[in-house]
Amino acid sequence: MDKGIYLDNNATTMVAPEVVEAMLPYFTEQFGNPSSLHQFGNQVGRALKVARKQVQALLGAEHDSEIIFTSCGTESDSTAILSALKAQPERREIITSVVEHPAILTLCQYLEKDGYTVHYLKVDKRGRLDLQEYARLLSDQVAVVSIMWANNESGTLFPVEEMAEMARAAGVMFHTDAVQAVGKLPINLQESCIDMLSLSGHKLHAPKGIGVLYLRRGVRFRPLLRGGHQERGRRAGTENAASIVALGKACEMAGEALAYEERVVRSMRDRLEQGIIEQVSHCFVTGDPENRLPNTCNIAFEFIEGEAILLLLNKMGIAASSGSACTSGSLEPSHVMRAMDIPFTAAHGSVRFSFSRYNTMEEVERVIAAMPLIVQRLRKLSPYWNGDAPADEPGQEFAPTYA
Amino acid sequence: MWDYSETVQEHFFNPRNAGAVEAANGVGEVGSLSCGDALRLTLKVDPETETILEAGFQTFGCGSAIASSSALTEIIKGMTLSEALKVSNQDIADYLDGLPPEKMHCSVMGREALQAAVANYRGEEWKDDHEEGALICKCFAIDAVMIEETIRANGLRSVEAVTNYTKAGGGCSSCHEGIEEILGRVLAEQGEQLVINAVAAEARQPRTGLTNLQRIRRIEELLDEIRPNLQRDHGDVELVEVDGRHIYVKMTGACSGCQMAATTLGGIQQHLAEGLSEFILVLPAEELACRATVGG
Ligand SMILES: Cc1ncc(COP(=O)(O)O)c(C=O)c1O
Ligand code: FES
């Protein structure tokens, strides 16, 4: 059996073979604790230094000490927000957006129960923020602004550099969840006003369970995990040395591949999108097509449901993901699709294809060939579909007893 | 992705009776686009015998919604209407060798479509009386409506009680926060407050037949028994506070701050535990101060 077509790289990526090779010695020969004085620890300590520099280079950070290794993107997000609150107890407000990842949203909802006020910036139909509303909300009551760099479902980019400048001017800390952006776009933090940034290794061909919090020098900070002196006391716990080495290598490779990402990955994505839209009726691209990650496309197929699409795709060896309610275990379709006011007829049928540099144009053509049949098959089953078109007025043709 | 049984997959990939039945004389439609699943069931019923001759479905929904619809039509074909009405959503799930808890509503939808179709055949109007809430406990597939109704009906006050009545919360514990929220809301309506540590406090109460005063006297007596040993080393011990299982003492004289203080405390603890016949913890009085700040 062939190994299938993996177009779910926003969920997680394959660990690059070079990365695996770089990390392996740190399970066996180089098993020392980097804090130890002896030779076993020493060499590991040096490897961590190299990795820190590699991450620093990809982020364009001014100092390598601004890189704090954590266990994942979620930990980085939590650390950033909770630190900002702890460090400025007199400030009781947070600004974020309605389309953040649950790593931010669930935490914010939890903080609301603790009495914090959270302002959720809304998005328009193409997933864009209203910067005027944002400007109005910035005040000396706000402890931190947390806005994602790129949305994981639609790929839409937010103007975080501009927003960070506005926050700086208002004297407010700015954090960005850049888990989906790092490695896909050039980033130069020293030229920006971004105070904190989260990234996650497994989205850029490093292993799962390793992340980074970038913390600009001079930004007030309170650790989440207290204990040993690791990461200069900012994140206690013996370092995940093998994964840190791996992340360093992955960052180096991502830096070298940025141009490829921008050119080749983008062209594969564009071809897939155009190929599907041309052949399948009643579907459309969600988000802001002009302003999004080069690797992501999210297409909403009307009158059918996403999970059913994924199951049929999976049967043909194609892996993608969906914002449908049924894939997430909740009864609501994706909060991102709802926030963009995508009609229910389509929100449940949204499918995300996300590429990596390991995909090929040949794979793209195979997906383009598969998609029309899958959609047709499910529409045939759908009560909202009749022959080659939607059942005239879906609401009238099909009038269920309860709404 | 979901852990679907082979049968669910089989019915999804090869649905039986898909499409509308020609010349149907019973049609049931339930669900809606906004819910993410909707089902139209069409039946051809023999008016003489009331037997279902043909059944067809059209479904907008996920894998298990399609599989449940397919299973339903297979089950009811050849049944009389009254037999078919006895088919429960659990029967549909069983026919499919089970559904994940999050997906049980798909089988509920099947049963409702059937009721609606039968009502339509008989010229009656079908009213949906089923209210479905957000799924709170995934381990036991219990939703918010069920939990709230059970709390109200039985005047429940704690998560443990909810678990005893509904099973919700008896598995991985991840839904305790959600259950507490519902409890808090219901109790607030009744002008009460949810006391989260109601049970924890109970557990802190030692289970001996002694009254508090008797117990403290007994502790003093037990300490007196070992005092001579300590005094031999020019030290002493003083009882400072008794808080349930926690007994706070102050080591004085040579014993205070000495390297052996911890071992000494251990010895005292063992003596007290044996003497009281209960599990207790002996702690240095300094911890009392810590506890006060943490608790506050
Ligand atoms: C935008 C965003 N933030 C945070 C995360 C969480 O990262 P991790 O899985 O490393 O905790 C993800 C990954 O799904 C993500 O897409
Ligand atoms: S979800 Fe309720 S106990 Fe596991």
Side-chain angles (χ1 to χ4, degrees):
Chain A
M1 191 195 137
D2 79 310
K3 66 180 175 35
I5 300 175
Y6 187 73
L7 286 176
D8 200 10
N9 287 280
N10 284 10
T12 195
T13 58
M14 172 186 92
V15 182
E18 296 88 338
V19 169
V20 175
E21 198 185 327
M23 78 187 290
L24 281 181
Y26 293 87
F27 290 108
T28 51
E29 299 117 61
Q30 306 283 358
F31 63 83
N33 187 324
S35 301
S36 305
L37 206 65
H38 44 63
Q39 52 167 344
F40 294 90
N42 238 331
Q43 289 172 6
V44 181
R46 251 178 263 135
L48 298 195
K49 245 194 185 132
V50 173
R52 208 178 295 279
K53 289 250 177 241
Q54 288 164 321
V55 178
Q56 177 197 359
L58 183 65
L59 296 181
E62 194 171 356
H63 309 280
D64 64 354
S65 59
E66 294 174 327
I67 307 301
I68 303 173
F69 290 110
T70 66
S71 71
C72 60
T74 303
E75 185 194 324
S76 301
D77 285 345
S78 267
T79 307
I81 295 202
L82 295 172
S83 161
L85 296 177
K86 275 272 178 203
Q88 313 164 91
E90 68 293 348
R91 297 181 177 227
R92 308 283 297 171
E93 295 179 18
I94 300 169
I95 301 177
T96 185
S97 82
V98 288
V99 293
E100 296 299 308
H101 188 270
I104 296 288
L105 280 186
T106 314
L107 175 67
C108 283
Q109 285 154 9
Y110 178 69
L111 288 166
E112 279 179 297
K113 289 186 203 159
D114 276 352
Y116 290 94
T117 301
V118 183
H119 305 284
Y120 298 94
L121 295 174
K122 288 193 236 3
V123 296
D124 66 11
K125 286 184 172 11
R126 280 162 66 188
R128 295 170 302 192
L129 295 172
D130 177 354
L131 291 195
Q132 282 174 3
E133 184 194 0
Y134 170 59
R136 275 195 300 276
L137 288 169
L138 284 169
S139 78
D140 62 2
Q141 289 307 300
V142 178
V144 65
V145 178
S146 180
I147 299 290
M148 66 200 327
W149 199 311
N151 184 268
N152 45 309
E153 286 188 39
S154 64
T156 304
L157 301 174
F158 286 140
V160 285
E161 283 153 314
E162 185 185 344
M163 295 177 81
E165 261 173 53
M166 291 164 71
R168 171 78 53 91
V172 177
M173 265 189 214
F174 190 91
H175 166 255
T176 181
D177 176 339
V179 166
Q180 293 294 348
V182 174
K184 295 173 191 157
L185 333 152
I187 289 179
N188 193 358
L189 289 175
Q190 57 192 318
E191 301 272 296
S192 81
C193 293
I194 293 167
D195 296 309
M196 294 183 279
L197 171 146
S198 304
L199 73 88
S200 176
H202 71 103
K203 310 281 186 186
L204 60 148
H205 305 289
K208 294 151 191 65
I210 182 74
V212 161
L213 175 64
Y214 159 85
L215 177 70
R216 177 181 296 281
R217 182 173 282 185
V219 170
R220 290 171 77 185
F221 183 74
R222 295 287 181 278
L224 180 66
L225 295 188
R226 289 163 193 265
H229 59 262
Q230 294 90 352
E231 301 300 295
R232 301 176 183 233
R234 296 171 300 181
R235 200 283 187 180
T238 299
E239 298 87 341
N240 183 353
S243 292
I244 291 174
V245 168
L247 178 58
K249 180 70 187 169
C251 284
E252 184 188 284
M253 291 175 66
E256 288 163 1
L258 276 178
Y260 184 88
E261 194 84 25
E262 183 48 43
R263 204 165 37 81
V264 184
V265 173
R266 178 184 290 275
S267 70
M268 289 191 280
R269 190 273 314 270
D270 289 348
R271 166 72 190 125
L272 177 78
E273 196 162 280
Q274 172 230 359
I276 291 178
I277 300 280
E278 260 174 27
Q279 295 189 62
V280 179
S281 73
H282 295 89
C283 69
F284 57 91
V285 174
T286 71
D288 187 2
E290 267 71 65
N291 194 20
R292 63 182 161 153
L293 289 173
N295 83 318
T296 309
C297 102
N298 190 310
I299 302 182
F301 297 93
E302 292 184 271
F303 312 113
I304 52 180
E305 202 274 340
E307 190 205 85
I309 303 174
L310 294 190
L311 289 170
L312 290 175
L313 277 171
N314 187 44
K315 193 143 199 224
M316 306 183 76
I318 301 165
S321 75
S322 165
S324 99
C326 277
T327 49
S328 63
S330 77
L331 295 176
E332 280 285 304
S334 133
H335 69 286
V336 178
M337 294 300 135
R338 289 305 300 142
M340 293 192 293
D341 208 16
I342 306 282
F344 279 115
T345 41
H348 287 286
S350 73
V351 174
R352 177 188 71 189
F353 300 97
S354 48
F355 288 78
S356 80
R357 55 181 190 268
Y358 294 97
N359 289 115
T360 63
M361 209 44 127
E362 190 248 320
E363 293 177 327
V364 171
E365 296 303 333
R366 278 169 57 196
V367 179
I368 293 175
M371 211 55 219
L373 296 170
I374 291 177
V375 173
Q376 193 184 18
R377 185 166 161 183
L378 290 172
R379 283 192 178 151
K380 239 165 102 182
L381 293 180
S382 171
Y384 297 107
W385 194 261
N386 195 352
D388 298 326
D392 315 332
E393 299 252 329
Q396 288 180 8
E397 164 77 7
F398 180 69
T401 312
Y402 66 86
Chain B
M1 184 88 67
W2 306 106
D3 194 8
Y4 283 140
S5 74
E6 296 279 328
T7 321
V8 173
Q9 296 190 31
E10 165 56 23
H11 276 265
F12 169 69
F13 288 122
N14 302 302
R16 326 286 199 270
N17 315 308
V21 168
E22 300 242 338
N25 51 4
V27 180
E29 297 180 337
V30 293
S32 79
L33 270 175
S34 61
C35 301
D37 42 29
L39 165 56
R40 173 198 280 136
L41 182 67
T42 43
L43 303 178
K44 189 168 173 189
V45 182
D46 179 348
E48 296 289 307
T49 59
E50 290 221 321
T51 307
I52 300 174
L53 301 174
E54 276 179 71
F57 78 88
Q58 290 161 285
T59 296
F60 164 80
C62 58
S64 56
I66 290 173
S68 297
S69 310
S70 167
L72 170 71
T73 52
E74 281 292 276
I75 296 174
I76 60 172
K77 268 199 306 187
M79 281 185 170
T80 63
L81 290 185
S82 52
E83 280 167 349
L85 281 176
K86 293 204 191 90
V87 173
S88 69
N89 71 303
Q90 192 61 48
D91 292 334
I92 300 172
D94 290 346
Y95 185 88
L96 291 168
D97 292 329
L99 284 171
E102 289 90 345
K103 299 287 190 167
M104 283 302 285
H105 67 271
C106 295
S107 60
V108 174
M109 191 172 72
R111 196 204 50 194
E112 289 172 347
L114 176 60
Q115 292 171 341
V118 173
N120 172 268
Y121 168 81
R122 292 179 172 161
E124 301 161 0
E125 201 180 321
W126 181 74
K127 271 252 165 292
D128 165 44
D129 57 356
H130 163 81
E131 203 184 331
E132 193 177 359
L135 187 65
I136 300 288
C137 180
K138 297 193 174 172
C139 289
F140 297 104
I142 314 285
D143 69 20
V145 172
M146 164 85 148
I147 293 175
E148 182 163 341
E149 283 172 358
T150 313
I151 293 171
R152 286 185 200 284
N154 302 289
L156 306 185
R157 291 201 148 55
S158 68
V159 173
E160 285 74 10
V162 172
T163 306
N164 290 340
Y165 276 80
T166 66
K167 281 196 180 156
C172 67
S173 298
S174 69
C175 58
H176 287 191
E177 205 173 329
I179 298 175
E180 267 170 19
E181 245 166 57
I182 301 176
L183 266 171
R185 186 158 39 78
V186 175
L187 289 178
E189 276 169 28
Q190 300 162 358
E192 284 186 56
Q193 241 192 336
L194 174 63
V195 188
I196 307 272
N197 58 3
V199 171
E202 208 169 278
R204 285 210 328 251
Q205 283 303 316
R207 284 180 225 275
T208 59
L210 305 176
T211 66
N212 266 344
L213 190 62
Q214 287 169 331
R215 188 157 165 272
I216 289 171
R217 286 215 180 103
R218 179 83 188 114
I219 293 169
E220 290 278 20
E221 280 170 25
L222 289 164
L223 285 179
D224 284 341
E225 286 172 24
I226 44 173
R227 205 176 303 280
N229 290 342
L230 300 173
Q231 284 168 347
R232 210 180 309 127
D233 293 332
H234 307 285
D236 206 344
V237 63
E238 184 190 320
L239 181 63
V240 177
E241 170 71 304
V242 178
D243 179 13
R245 300 183 193 288
H246 294 173
I247 296 174
Y248 295 87
V249 299
K250 191 166 172 185
M251 308 299 290
T252 51
C255 289
S256 83
C258 102
Q259 283 278 334
M260 301 297 286
T263 357
T264 315
L265 280 182
I268 297 174
Q269 173 164 309
Q270 196 181 353
H271 187 71
L272 292 186
E274 283 167 10
L276 290 166
S277 308
E278 56 172 290
F279 171 76
I280 48 101
L281 267 179
V282 172
L283 299 162
E286 295 84 65
E287 299 222 346
L288 207 50
C290 300
R291 193 196 50 159
T293 40
V294 172

